[in-house]
């Protein structure tokens, strides 16, 4: 608010930033609630996933999935079998990793 008062940013920019921050906080709270409700046995991220215990899992390919490269290429992802990787690629993982990335892009990379 002081920045807006000093003229560093306009009041409309200030309100836009405030609304975005509130929206993002609400989304993050809702995300955390959904993740807790999933009750999965492990809470893995790309950094904590035990790739060493899954030698058949291609780390580079999984990172490509997380970066959504398959969307730009108009490709599909098909998971077969029940492994730790299947748990890793559940809606919870998608919510935990992909949605925040999209929200970050929408909040920080686009203008209102």
């Amino acid at each position: 608010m002081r920045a807006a008062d000093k003229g560093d940013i306009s009041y409309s920019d200030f309100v836009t930033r405030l609304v975005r921050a509130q929206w993002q906080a609400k989304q993050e709270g809702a995300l955390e609630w959904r993740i807790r409700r999933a009750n999965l046995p492990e809470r893995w991220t790309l950094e904590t996933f035990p790739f060493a215990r899954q030698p058949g899992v291609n780390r580079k390919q999984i990172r490509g999935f997380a970066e959504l490269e398959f969307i730009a290429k108009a490709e599909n992802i098909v998971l077969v079998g029940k492994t730790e990787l299947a748990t890793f690629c559940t809606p919870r993982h998608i919510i935990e990793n992909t949605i925040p990335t999209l929200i970050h892009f929408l909040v920080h990379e686009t203008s209102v």
Side-chain angles (χ1 to χ4, degrees):
M1 188 109 159
R2 289 183 188 134
D5 285 339
K6 290 180 183 178
D8 293 341
I9 62 170
S10 69
Y11 286 108
S12 63
D13 285 342
F14 171 76
V15 170
T16 299
R17 290 179 186 180
L18 180 63
V19 169
R20 283 182 178 170
Q22 288 176 330
W23 178 83
Q24 186 172 9
K26 185 176 180 178
Q27 294 297 316
E28 288 172 1
L31 171 65
E32 185 59 35
W33 179 82
R34 288 191 299 271
I35 290 169
R36 281 194 315 271
R37 294 260 312 167
N39 290 324
L40 293 174
E42 300 286 338
R43 187 169 181 166
W44 289 325
T45 64
L46 288 174
E47 291 74 32
T48 63
F49 182 76
F51 286 102
R53 292 190 338 207
Q54 295 289 330
V57 176
N58 183 327
R59 183 185 304 236
K60 182 178 178 181
Q61 185 178 41
I62 297 300
R63 290 199 183 277
F65 292 159
E67 293 172 7
L68 307 178
E69 294 174 353
F70 65 95
I71 294 174
K73 296 176 183 176
E75 296 176 344
N76 295 317
I77 297 175
V78 177
L79 301 175
V80 179
K82 184 173 182 174
T83 66
E84 290 179 350
L85 178 61
T87 302
F88 177 67
C89 293
T90 62
R92 174 183 173 181
H93 174 264
I94 293 167
I95 290 168
E96 185 176 85
N97 293 286
T98 306
I99 302 301
T101 301
L102 293 173
I103 290 170
H104 176 79
F105 174 78
L106 292 173
V107 171
H108 297 288
E109 304 296 328
T110 60
S111 60
V112 174

